[in-house]
Coordinates of all heavy atoms in Angstrom, one line a residue:
L1 N 140.4 99.9 115.6 CA 140.1 101.3 115.3 C 139.3 101.4 113.9 O 138.4 102.2 113.8 CB 141.4 102.0 115.2 CG 141.2 103.6 114.9 CD1 140.4 104.3 116.0 CD2 142.5 104.2 114.7
R2 N 139.6 100.6 113.0 CA 139.0 100.7 111.6 C 137.6 100.2 111.7 O 136.7 100.8 111.1 CB 139.8 99.8 110.7 CG 139.3 99.9 109.3 CD 140.3 99.2 108.3 NE 140.1 99.7 107.0 CZ 140.4 99.1 105.9 NH1 141.0 97.9 106.0 NH2 140.2 99.6 104.7
L3 N 137.3 99.2 112.5 CA 135.9 98.7 112.6 C 135.0 99.8 113.2 O 133.8 100.0 112.9 CB 135.8 97.4 113.3 CG 136.4 96.2 112.7 CD1 136.4 95.0 113.6 CD2 135.7 95.9 111.4
T4 N 135.5 100.5 114.2 CA 134.8 101.5 114.9 C 134.4 102.7 113.9 O 133.3 103.2 113.9 CB 135.5 102.1 116.1 OG1 135.9 101.0 116.9 CG2 134.7 103.1 116.8
I5 N 135.4 103.1 113.1 CA 135.2 104.1 112.2 C 134.1 103.7 111.1 O 133.2 104.5 110.8 CB 136.5 104.6 111.5 CG1 137.4 105.2 112.5 CG2 136.2 105.5 110.3 CD1 138.8 105.5 112.0
E6 N 134.2 102.5 110.6 CA 133.2 102.0 109.6 C 131.8 102.0 110.3 O 130.9 102.3 109.6 CB 133.7 100.7 109.1 CG 134.9 100.8 108.2 CD 135.3 99.4 107.7 OE1 134.6 98.4 108.1 OE2 136.2 99.3 106.9
G7 N 131.8 101.5 111.5 CA 130.5 101.5 112.2 C 129.8 102.8 112.4 O 128.7 103.0 112.3
D8 N 130.7 103.8 112.7 CA 130.2 105.2 112.9 C 129.7 105.8 111.6 O 128.8 106.5 111.5 CB 131.4 106.1 113.5 CG 131.7 105.7 114.9 OD1 130.8 105.1 115.6 OD2 132.8 106.1 115.4
I9 N 130.5 105.5 110.5 CA 130.0 105.9 109.1 C 128.7 105.3 108.8 O 127.8 106.0 108.3 CB 131.1 105.6 108.1 CG1 132.3 106.5 108.3 CG2 130.5 105.9 106.7 CD1 133.5 106.2 107.5
V10 N 128.5 104.1 109.1 CA 127.2 103.4 108.8 C 126.1 104.0 109.6 O 125.0 104.3 109.1 CB 127.3 101.9 109.0 CG1 125.9 101.3 108.9 CG2 128.2 101.2 108.0
A11 N 126.3 104.3 110.9 CA 125.4 104.9 111.8 C 125.0 106.3 111.3 O 123.8 106.7 111.3 CB 125.8 104.9 113.2
A12 N 126.0 107.0 110.9 CA 125.8 108.4 110.4 C 124.9 108.3 109.1 O 124.1 109.2 108.9 CB 127.1 109.1 110.2
A13 N 125.2 107.4 108.2 CA 124.5 107.3 107.0 C 123.0 106.9 107.2 O 122.1 107.4 106.5 CB 125.2 106.2 106.1
K14 N 122.8 106.1 108.2 CA 121.4 105.7 108.6 C 120.7 107.0 109.1 O 119.5 107.2 108.7 CB 121.4 104.7 109.7 CG 121.7 103.3 109.3 CD 121.5 102.3 110.5 CE 121.9 100.9 110.1 NZ 121.7 100.0 111.2
L15 N 121.3 107.8 109.9 CA 120.6 109.0 110.4 C 120.4 110.0 109.3 O 119.3 110.6 109.2 CB 121.5 109.6 111.5 CG 121.6 108.8 112.8 CD1 122.6 109.5 113.7 CD2 120.3 108.6 113.4
I16 N 121.3 110.1 108.4 CA 121.1 111.0 107.3 C 120.0 110.5 106.3 O 119.2 111.3 105.9 CB 122.5 111.2 106.5 CG1 123.4 112.0 107.3 CG2 122.2 111.9 105.2 CD1 124.8 112.1 106.8
G17 N 120.0 109.2 106.1 CA 119.0 108.6 105.3 C 117.6 108.8 105.9 O 116.6 109.0 105.1
A18 N 117.5 108.6 107.1 CA 116.2 108.7 107.8 C 115.7 110.2 107.7 O 114.5 110.4 107.5 CB 116.3 108.2 109.2
G19 N 116.7 111.1 107.9 CA 116.3 112.5 107.8 C 115.8 112.9 106.4 O 114.8 113.6 106.2
L20 N 116.5 112.3 105.4 CA 116.1 112.6 104.0 C 114.8 112.0 103.7 O 114.0 112.5 102.9 CB 117.2 112.1 103.1 CG 118.5 112.9 103.1 CD1 119.5 112.2 102.2 CD2 118.3 114.3 102.6
A21 N 114.5 110.8 104.3 CA 113.2 110.1 104.0 C 112.0 111.0 104.6 O 110.9 110.9 104.1 CB 113.2 108.8 104.7
M22 N 112.3 111.7 105.7 CA 111.2 112.5 106.3 C 111.0 113.9 105.6 O 110.1 114.6 105.9 CB 111.6 112.8 107.7 CG 111.5 111.6 108.6 SD 109.9 110.8 108.6 CE 108.9 112.0 109.4
I23 N 111.7 114.2 104.5 CA 111.5 115.4 103.7 C 110.1 115.4 103.1 O 109.5 116.4 102.9 CB 112.6 115.6 102.7 CG1 113.9 116.0 103.4 CG2 112.3 116.7 101.7 CD1 115.1 116.1 102.5
G24 N 109.6 114.2 102.8 CA 108.3 114.1 102.2 C 107.2 114.6 103.0 O 106.1 114.9 102.5
T25 N 107.4 114.7 104.3 CA 106.3 115.2 105.2 C 106.1 116.7 105.0 O 105.0 117.1 105.3 CB 106.7 114.9 106.7 OG1 107.9 115.5 107.0 CG2 106.8 113.4 107.0
I26 N 107.1 117.3 104.4 CA 106.9 118.8 104.1 C 105.8 118.9 103.1 O 104.9 119.8 103.2 CB 108.2 119.4 103.6 CG1 109.2 119.4 104.7 CG2 107.9 120.8 103.1 CD1 110.6 119.8 104.2
G27 N 105.8 118.1 102.1 CA 104.7 118.1 101.1 C 103.4 117.7 101.6 O 102.4 118.3 101.2
A28 N 103.3 116.8 102.5 CA 102.1 116.4 103.1 C 101.5 117.6 104.0 O 100.3 117.8 103.9 CB 102.3 115.2 104.0
G29 N 102.3 118.2 104.7 CA 101.9 119.4 105.5 C 101.4 120.5 104.6 O 100.3 121.1 104.9
A30 N 102.1 120.8 103.6 CA 101.6 121.8 102.7 C 100.3 121.4 102.0 O 99.4 122.2 101.8 CB 102.7 122.1 101.6
G31 N 100.2 120.1 101.6 CA 99.0 119.7 101.0 C 97.8 119.8 101.9 O 96.7 120.2 101.5
I32 N 98.0 119.4 103.2 CA 96.8 119.5 104.1 C 96.5 121.0 104.3 O 95.3 121.3 104.3 CB 97.2 118.9 105.5 CG1 97.4 117.4 105.3 CG2 96.2 119.3 106.6 CD1 97.9 116.7 106.5
G33 N 97.4 121.9 104.3 CA 97.1 123.3 104.5 C 96.3 123.8 103.3 O 95.4 124.6 103.4
I34 N 96.7 123.4 102.1 CA 96.1 123.9 100.8 C 94.6 123.3 100.7 O 93.7 124.0 100.4 CB 96.9 123.5 99.6 CG1 98.2 124.3 99.6 CG2 96.1 123.7 98.3 CD1 99.2 123.8 98.6
V35 N 94.5 122.1 101.2 CA 93.2 121.5 101.1 C 92.2 122.1 102.1 O 91.1 122.5 101.8 CB 93.2 119.9 101.5 CG1 91.9 119.3 101.8 CG2 93.9 119.2 100.3
V36 N 92.7 122.4 103.3 CA 91.9 123.0 104.3 C 91.5 124.5 103.9 O 90.4 125.0 104.0 CB 92.5 123.0 105.7 CG1 91.7 123.8 106.7 CG2 92.6 121.5 106.2
N37 N 92.5 125.2 103.3 CA 92.3 126.5 102.9 C 91.2 126.6 101.8 O 90.3 127.4 101.9 CB 93.6 127.1 102.3 CG 93.4 128.5 101.8 OD1 92.6 129.3 102.2 ND2 94.2 128.8 100.8
G38 N 91.3 125.7 100.8 CA 90.3 125.7 99.8 C 88.9 125.3 100.3 O 87.9 125.9 99.9
A39 N 88.8 124.4 101.3 CA 87.5 124.0 101.8 C 86.9 125.1 102.6 O 85.7 125.3 102.5 CB 87.7 122.7 102.6
V40 N 87.7 125.8 103.4 CA 87.2 126.9 104.2 C 86.7 128.0 103.3 O 85.6 128.6 103.6 CB 88.2 127.4 105.2 CG1 87.8 128.6 105.9 CG2 88.4 126.3 106.3
Q41 N 87.4 128.3 102.3 CA 87.0 129.4 101.3 C 85.7 128.9 100.6 O 84.8 129.8 100.4 CB 88.1 129.7 100.3 CG 89.2 130.5 100.9 CD 90.2 130.9 99.8 OE1 90.1 130.5 98.7 NE2 91.2 131.6 100.2
G42 N 85.6 127.7 100.3 CA 84.4 127.2 99.6 C 83.2 127.3 100.5 O 82.1 127.6 100.1
M43 N 83.4 126.9 101.8 CA 82.3 127.0 102.8 C 81.9 128.4 103.0 O 80.7 128.7 103.2 CB 82.7 126.3 104.1 CG 82.9 124.8 104.0 SD 83.4 124.1 105.6 CE 84.1 122.6 105.1
A44 N 82.8 129.3 103.0 CA 82.5 130.7 103.2 C 81.7 131.3 102.0 O 80.8 132.1 102.3 CB 83.8 131.5 103.4
R45 N 82.0 130.8 100.8 CA 81.3 131.4 99.7 C 80.0 130.7 99.4 O 79.1 131.4 98.9 CB 82.2 131.1 98.4 CG 83.4 132.0 98.4 CD 84.3 131.8 97.2 NE 85.5 132.6 97.3 CZ 86.4 132.7 96.3 NH1 86.2 132.0 95.2 NH2 87.4 133.5 96.5
N46 N 79.9 129.5 99.8 CA 78.6 128.7 99.6 C 78.4 127.8 100.8 O 78.7 126.6 100.8 CB 78.7 127.9 98.3 CG 77.4 127.3 97.9 OD1 76.4 127.5 98.6 ND2 77.4 126.5 96.9
P47 N 77.7 128.4 101.8 CA 77.5 127.6 103.0 C 76.6 126.4 102.8 O 76.6 125.4 103.5 CB 76.8 128.6 104.0 CG 77.1 129.9 103.4 CD 77.3 129.8 102.0
D48 N 75.8 126.4 101.8 CA 74.9 125.2 101.5 C 75.6 124.0 101.1 O 75.2 122.9 101.3 CB 73.9 125.5 100.4 CG 72.9 126.6 100.8 OD1 72.6 126.7 102.0 OD2 72.4 127.3 100.0
A49 N 76.8 124.1 100.5 CA 77.6 123.0 100.1 C 78.7 122.6 101.1 O 79.6 121.8 100.8 CB 78.3 123.3 98.8
S50 N 78.5 123.0 102.4 CA 79.5 122.8 103.4 C 79.6 121.3 103.7 O 80.7 120.8 104.0 CB 79.3 123.6 104.6 OG 78.1 123.2 105.2
G51 N 78.5 120.5 103.7 CA 78.6 119.1 104.0 C 79.4 118.3 103.0 O 80.3 117.5 103.3
N52 N 79.2 118.6 101.7 CA 80.0 117.9 100.6 C 81.4 118.4 100.7 O 82.4 117.6 100.5 CB 79.3 118.3 99.3 CG 79.9 117.5 98.1 OD1 80.5 116.4 98.4 ND2 79.8 117.9 96.9
L53 N 81.7 119.7 100.9 CA 83.1 120.1 101.0 C 83.8 119.5 102.2 O 85.0 119.2 102.1 CB 83.1 121.7 101.1 CG 82.8 122.4 99.9 CD1 82.7 123.9 100.1 CD2 83.8 122.2 98.8
L54 N 83.1 119.4 103.3 CA 83.7 118.8 104.5 C 84.1 117.4 104.3 O 85.2 116.9 104.7 CB 82.7 118.9 105.7 CG 83.3 118.4 107.0 CD1 84.4 119.3 107.5 CD2 82.2 118.4 108.0
T55 N 83.3 116.6 103.6 CA 83.6 115.2 103.3 C 84.8 115.2 102.4 O 85.7 114.3 102.6 CB 82.4 114.6 102.6 OG1 81.2 114.7 103.4 CG2 82.7 113.1 102.3
N56 N 84.8 116.0 101.3 CA 86.0 115.9 100.4 C 87.2 116.4 101.1 O 88.4 115.9 100.8 CB 85.7 116.8 99.2 CG 84.6 116.1 98.3 OD1 84.5 114.9 98.3 ND2 83.9 116.9 97.6
M57 N 87.1 117.4 102.0 CA 88.3 117.9 102.7 C 88.9 116.8 103.6 O 90.1 116.6 103.7 CB 87.9 119.1 103.6 CG 89.0 119.7 104.4 SD 88.6 120.9 105.6 CE 87.8 120.0 106.8
I58 N 88.1 116.0 104.3 CA 88.5 115.0 105.2 C 89.2 113.9 104.3 O 90.3 113.4 104.7 CB 87.4 114.4 106.0 CG1 87.0 115.5 107.1 CG2 87.8 113.1 106.8 CD1 85.8 115.1 107.9
L59 N 88.6 113.6 103.2 CA 89.3 112.6 102.3 C 90.7 113.1 101.8 O 91.6 112.4 101.8 CB 88.4 112.3 101.1 CG 87.3 111.3 101.4 CD1 86.4 111.2 100.2 CD2 87.9 109.9 101.7
G60 N 90.7 114.4 101.4 CA 92.0 114.9 101.0 C 93.0 115.0 102.1 O 94.2 114.7 101.8
I61 N 92.6 115.3 103.3 CA 93.6 115.3 104.4 C 94.1 113.9 104.7 O 95.3 113.6 104.9 CB 92.9 115.9 105.6 CG1 92.7 117.3 105.5 CG2 93.7 115.6 106.9 CD1 91.9 118.0 106.6
A62 N 93.2 112.9 104.6 CA 93.6 111.5 104.8 C 94.6 111.0 103.8 O 95.6 110.3 104.1 CB 92.3 110.6 104.8
F63 N 94.4 111.4 102.5 CA 95.3 111.0 101.5 C 96.7 111.7 101.6 O 97.7 111.0 101.4 CB 94.7 111.2 100.1 CG 93.6 110.3 99.7 CD1 92.5 110.8 99.1 CD2 93.6 109.0 100.0 CE1 91.4 110.0 98.7 CE2 92.6 108.2 99.7 CZ 91.5 108.6 99.1
A64 N 96.6 113.0 102.0 CA 97.9 113.7 102.2 C 98.6 113.1 103.4 O 99.9 113.0 103.4 CB 97.6 115.1 102.3
E65 N 97.9 112.8 104.4 CA 98.5 112.2 105.6 C 99.1 110.9 105.4 O 100.1 110.5 106.0 CB 97.5 112.2 106.8 CG 98.1 111.9 108.1 CD 99.0 113.0 108.7 OE1 98.8 114.2 108.3 OE2 99.9 112.7 109.4
A66 N 98.5 110.1 104.5 CA 99.1 108.8 104.2 C 100.5 108.9 103.6 O 101.4 108.0 103.9 CB 98.2 108.1 103.2
V67 N 100.8 109.9 102.9 CA 102.1 110.1 102.3 C 103.1 110.3 103.5 O 104.2 109.8 103.5 CB 102.1 111.3 101.3 CG1 103.6 111.7 100.9 CG2 101.3 111.0 100.2
A68 N 102.7 111.1 104.5 CA 103.5 111.4 105.6 C 103.8 110.1 106.4 O 104.9 109.9 106.9 CB 102.9 112.5 106.5
I69 N 102.8 109.3 106.6 CA 102.9 108.0 107.3 C 103.9 107.1 106.5 O 104.7 106.4 107.1 CB 101.5 107.4 107.5 CG1 100.7 108.2 108.5 CG2 101.7 105.9 108.0 CD1 99.3 107.8 108.6
Y70 N 103.8 107.1 105.2 CA 104.7 106.3 104.4 C 106.2 106.8 104.6 O 107.1 106.0 104.7 CB 104.4 106.3 102.9 CG 103.1 105.6 102.6 CD1 102.3 106.1 101.5 CD2 102.7 104.5 103.2 CE1 101.1 105.5 101.2 CE2 101.5 103.9 102.9 CZ 100.7 104.4 101.9 OH 99.5 103.8 101.6
C71 N 106.4 108.1 104.7 CA 107.7 108.6 104.9 C 108.2 108.2 106.3 O 109.4 107.8 106.4 CB 107.7 110.1 104.8 SG 107.4 110.8 103.2
L72 N 107.3 108.2 107.3 CA 107.7 107.8 108.6 C 108.1 106.3 108.7 O 109.1 106.0 109.3 CB 106.6 108.1 109.6 CG 106.8 107.6 111.1 CD1 108.0 108.5 111.7 CD2 105.6 107.8 111.8
V73 N 107.3 105.5 108.0 CA 107.6 104.1 108.0 C 109.0 103.8 107.3 O 109.8 103.0 107.8 CB 106.5 103.3 107.3 CG1 106.9 101.9 107.0 CG2 105.2 103.3 108.1
V74 N 109.2 104.5 106.2 CA 110.5 104.3 105.5 C 111.7 104.8 106.4 O 112.8 104.1 106.5 CB 110.5 105.1 104.2 CG1 112.0 105.2 103.6 CG2 109.6 104.4 103.2
A75 N 111.5 105.9 107.1 CA 112.6 106.4 108.0 C 112.8 105.4 109.1 O 114.0 105.1 109.5 CB 112.2 107.8 108.6
L76 N 111.7 104.9 109.7 CA 111.9 103.9 110.8 C 112.6 102.6 110.3 O 113.4 102.0 111.0 CB 110.6 103.6 111.5 CG 110.0 104.7 112.3 CD1 108.6 104.4 112.7 CD2 110.9 105.1 113.4
L77 N 112.2 102.2 109.1 CA 112.9 101.0 108.5 C 114.4 101.3 108.3 O 115.2 100.4 108.6 CB 112.3 100.7 107.1 CG 110.9 99.9 107.2 CD1 110.3 99.8 105.8 CD2 111.0 98.6 107.8
I78 N 114.7 102.4 107.8 CA 116.1 102.7 107.6 C 116.9 102.7 109.0 O 118.0 102.2 109.1 CB 116.3 104.1 107.0 CG1 115.9 104.0 105.5 CG2 117.7 104.6 107.0 CD1 115.8 105.4 104.8
L79 N 116.2 103.3 110.0 CA 116.9 103.3 111.3 C 117.1 102.0 112.0 O 118.1 101.7 112.6 CB 116.1 104.3 112.3 CG 116.3 105.8 112.0 CD1 115.4 106.5 112.9 CD2 117.7 106.2 112.1
F80 N 116.0 101.2 112.0 CA 116.0 100.0 112.8 C 116.1 98.6 112.1 O 116.3 97.6 112.7 CB 114.7 100.0 113.7 CG 114.6 101.1 114.6 CD1 113.6 102.1 114.4 CD2 115.5 101.3 115.6 CE1 113.5 103.2 115.3 CE2 115.4 102.3 116.5 CZ 114.5 103.3 116.3
V81 N 116.0 98.6 110.8 CA 116.0 97.3 110.0 C 117.4 97.2 109.3 O 118.0 96.2 109.4 CB 114.8 97.2 109.1 CG1 115.0 95.9 108.3 CG2 113.6 97.1 109.9
F82 N 117.8 98.2 108.6 CA 119.0 98.1 107.8 C 120.2 98.5 108.6 O 120.2 99.3 109.4 CB 118.8 99.0 106.5 CG 117.7 98.6 105.7 CD1 116.6 99.3 105.6 CD2 117.8 97.4 105.0 CE1 115.5 99.0 104.8 CE2 116.7 97.0 104.2 CZ 115.6 97.8 104.1

């Protein structure tokens, strides 16, 4: 009985840890929204600079998405490796 309870506590801790690791994706989602918002406003104000803004927007989205991918990798490591 004691081993089962300890195993359940470890399993619960893994799930809680993976959930906490995914909190970082909230920042990535907010960052992508802010980047796209700024780029669209800039394109609306100055359509001639839309090419440069589009390139910078895509780079910003990629960097923000990298944070979300790192959070996902950490969560998967917690679930399946430890």
Side-chain angles (χ1 to χ4, degrees):
L1 179 67
R2 186 172 201 202
L3 293 176
T4 304
I5 292 173
E6 288 177 1
D8 290 341
I9 291 173
V10 170
K14 283 183 181 182
L15 293 174
I16 291 170
L20 290 174
M22 290 303 292
I23 288 177
T25 58
I26 295 170
I32 290 172
I34 291 169
V35 166
V36 171
N37 179 28
V40 169
Q41 283 184 0
M43 287 178 202
R45 291 181 182 183
N46 189 3
D48 292 334
S50 65
N52 191 17
L53 287 173
L54 183 66
T55 303
N56 289 333
M57 179 186 73
I58 291 172
L59 280 172
I61 289 172
F63 290 139
E65 191 66 28
V67 173
I69 292 170
Y70 293 145
C71 293
L72 177 65
V73 168
V74 169
L76 291 175
L77 283 173
I78 290 171
L79 286 177
F80 297 114
V81 174
F82 300 110

